[in-house]
Amino acid sequence: MNGPEIHLDVAPELRLFIPSEHRRGHTALTVDGSSSLGHVIESLGVPLTEAGRLLVDGREVAVSHVPRDGERVEVYGIERPQRVPGAPLRFLLDVHLGTLARRLRLLGVDAAYESEDIGDPALAALSARERRVLLSRDRGLLRRREIWAGGYVYSDKPDDQLRDVLERFAPALAPWTRCTACNGPLRDADKDTVEDQLEQGTQRTYDVFAQCTECGRVYWRGAHHARLEAIVTAALREFGDAAA
């Protein structure tokens, strides 16, 4: 392609998105002379949700800047913790991130999740309508213009996914206050009021219960509590003060 040639340098943490020939630091890239820098970045495979400061010849520019011949372009990653202005910090997770959604809810983070694939347009529209940060490993989904805000989930391992989201967005943590099944708020429940939902063994063994105010699910410190407590303890130890 004949056109202006720019000198591109993409931050190391973003190089997994781009072709191998551009991962070595400053490399030459021919552009068409009319597309914005944002379009150029996305055409290389980097979702704009992951791009932070953009420098051209050392000065910061907007994604609308049209690169000119000979310019030196530096693309930085998102500065952490990332602040999302204009709405309470809430999340929307795609169908592939169910475990991450449940762990965020366990920590009291508002995390909507669709257990069925409702399609990219519907997810993007829901993100915009409810002003939720859309979390996904789908780069194409994160390129949709209508999303409110978004974040790429870099790992496929739930432990690493949780640490990444907590480090990046620093949400306020309030463990044991949200239903892991539907995301609704929990309230303390008397044993007598939930007795009909409990098996006899649970009735005999446990006395402290919570119930979701939306779906009615009942919670108690059962056999899996130690594993969940470990997740909560680790998150609070590392990120408990992050949102302060």
Side-chain angles (χ1 to χ4, degrees):
M1 179 177 68
N2 295 323
E5 184 179 85
I6 64 174
H7 304 282
L8 179 72
D9 188 6
V10 176
E13 65 268 28
L14 300 180
R15 291 176 188 171
L16 78 160
F17 295 114
I18 65 178
S20 57
E21 63 266 26
H22 297 299
R23 296 178 183 174
R24 300 183 301 272
H26 285 287
T27 60
L29 177 68
T30 301
V31 295
D32 61 16
S34 59
S35 295
S36 69
L37 183 53
H39 179 80
V40 172
I41 292 169
E42 284 193 323
S43 69
L44 288 171
V46 181
L48 286 183
T49 60
E50 307 311 296
R53 296 173 65 224
L54 306 176
L55 300 186
V56 171
D57 294 336
R59 61 184 178 88
E60 191 163 354
V61 300
V63 292
S64 58
H65 173 81
V66 177
R68 295 187 290 271
D69 188 58
E71 288 184 335
R72 174 177 171 174
V73 175
E74 298 171 274
V75 182
Y76 288 85
I78 290 292
E79 185 176 344
R80 298 188 177 206
Q82 180 183 355
R83 303 302 181 186
V84 182
L89 183 58
R90 304 186 297 175
F91 296 97
L92 171 64
L93 289 77
D94 72 16
V95 68
H96 303 292
L97 298 175
T99 299
L100 175 59
R102 288 187 291 272
R103 292 190 179 191
L104 287 171
R105 293 169 178 177
L106 175 67
L107 296 170
V109 177
D110 189 339
Y113 165 71
E114 297 292 337
S115 59
E116 296 183 2
D117 190 354
I118 63 174
D120 289 2
L123 276 173
L126 183 58
S127 166
R129 184 168 65 252
E130 298 189 358
R131 295 190 173 187
R132 291 180 177 273
V133 179
L134 181 58
L135 301 179
S136 179
R137 286 179 51 77
D138 183 341
R139 305 179 199 180
L141 173 56
L142 294 175
R143 290 180 63 177
R144 300 191 70 92
R145 291 289 182 261
E146 63 267 37
I147 67 173
W148 165 252
Y152 183 77
V153 177
Y154 285 79
S155 176
D156 58 1
K157 298 176 181 175
D159 288 346
D160 295 336
Q161 291 175 347
L162 182 62
R163 291 190 74 261
D164 183 31
V165 172
L166 296 182
E167 178 189 37
R168 174 169 176 172
F169 293 101
L173 305 183
W176 317 109
T177 62
R178 194 170 288 276
C179 178
T180 57
C182 81
N183 199 42
L186 299 181
R187 65 182 176 194
D188 293 338
D190 292 332
K191 186 174 183 178
D192 292 342
T193 64
V194 298
E195 193 171 19
D196 61 340
Q197 299 185 50
L198 307 176
E199 296 183 359
Q200 289 186 357
T202 303
Q203 293 180 27
R204 291 193 302 268
T205 307
Y206 302 98
D207 295 306
V208 179
F209 299 91
Q211 187 172 29
C212 178
T213 60
E214 294 187 6
C215 74
R217 181 169 178 168
V218 179
Y219 291 85
W220 62 93
R221 297 189 176 188
H224 301 296
H225 183 76
R227 178 175 58 83
L228 300 178
E229 182 69 50
I231 294 172
V232 169
T233 299
L236 289 178
R237 181 172 57 244
E238 189 168 2
F239 302 105
D241 296 327

